[in-house]
Amino acid sequence: MNGAQRVLVTAGAAGIGHAIAQAFAATGARVWVTDIDEAALAACPAGWRRDRVDVADPAAMRALFGRIEAEWGGLDVLCANAGVSGRTAALEDQDYAAFKECLDVTLGGAVLAAQGALPMMKRARQGCIIFTGSTSGQFGTPLRAPYVAAKWAVNGLMKTVAMEAGPFG
């Protein structure tokens, strides 16, 4: 293994996640991206490790982190970026199944990613976890209750993970 940072970016095949992955790759980091968009994954640079993974699926996430540990021997940076915006509508018009899907991907995906990364980082006594936030998670946004709820929760998750993992470096 060379000394390059080992970086995982969830939802890294397009958009913000892709830009994050490109920025890390430009520093010489080894990049592993996940996404559910197979065409976008296929279009990622050949040097990146790519996996189709549903971040809301606990078994798929456990398998992903097992592959990361087996292939890379650890992880230096996790960018928990996956999220969905949910439906734009008044709360009383929100479909609960769609609301829950937004929470499962945006919050649940961040939880499962952190659960996969933390044991490796704690053993190594170093690491960095980045949760993609939003101003909606700080101030709220009308007609966006699923997304706002998920992003407020991601902010709380981030603070808790920092307190729990900080003593491990």
Side-chain angles (χ1 to χ4, degrees):
M1 175 179 115
N2 66 32
Q5 275 191 319
R6 300 160 295 180
V7 179
L8 170 65
V9 183
T10 63
I16 292 169
H18 190 77
I20 292 168
Q22 286 178 314
F24 274 105
T27 70
R30 291 186 288 165
V31 173
W32 194 315
V33 295
T34 67
D35 214 295
I36 58 170
D37 183 339
E38 292 184 27
L41 280 168
C44 287
W48 294 5
R49 180 70 166 80
R50 302 169 284 211
D51 258 325
R52 186 194 185 288
V53 177
D54 176 355
V55 297
D57 179 343
M61 291 295 279
R62 279 191 302 276
L64 168 68
F65 283 95
R67 288 190 300 277
I68 290 169
E69 187 145 35
E71 292 181 31
W72 280 358
L75 187 65
D76 300 304
V77 180
L78 165 64
C79 298
N81 174 67
V84 293
S85 61
R87 185 169 172 239
T88 301
L91 180 61
E92 65 270 20
D93 296 326
Q94 292 285 343
D95 173 72
Y96 185 70
F99 193 109
K100 191 171 178 313
E101 178 189 12
C102 181
L103 291 174
D104 287 348
V105 173
T106 308
L107 174 60
V111 168
L112 293 171
Q115 286 179 326
L118 281 167
M120 289 185 274
M121 291 178 174
K122 284 181 175 182
R123 279 193 301 276
R125 299 206 54 85
Q126 65 87 33
C128 176
I129 298 178
I130 301 165
F131 294 103
T132 302
S134 167
T135 56
S136 291
Q138 296 176 320
F139 306 110
T141 305
L143 307 177
R144 302 299 308 277
Y147 185 73
V148 169
K151 288 300 185 176
W152 276 78
V154 167
N155 284 340
L157 174 67
M158 174 206 47
K159 291 174 183 180
T160 300
V161 168
M163 287 184 248
E164 290 182 4
F168 293 89

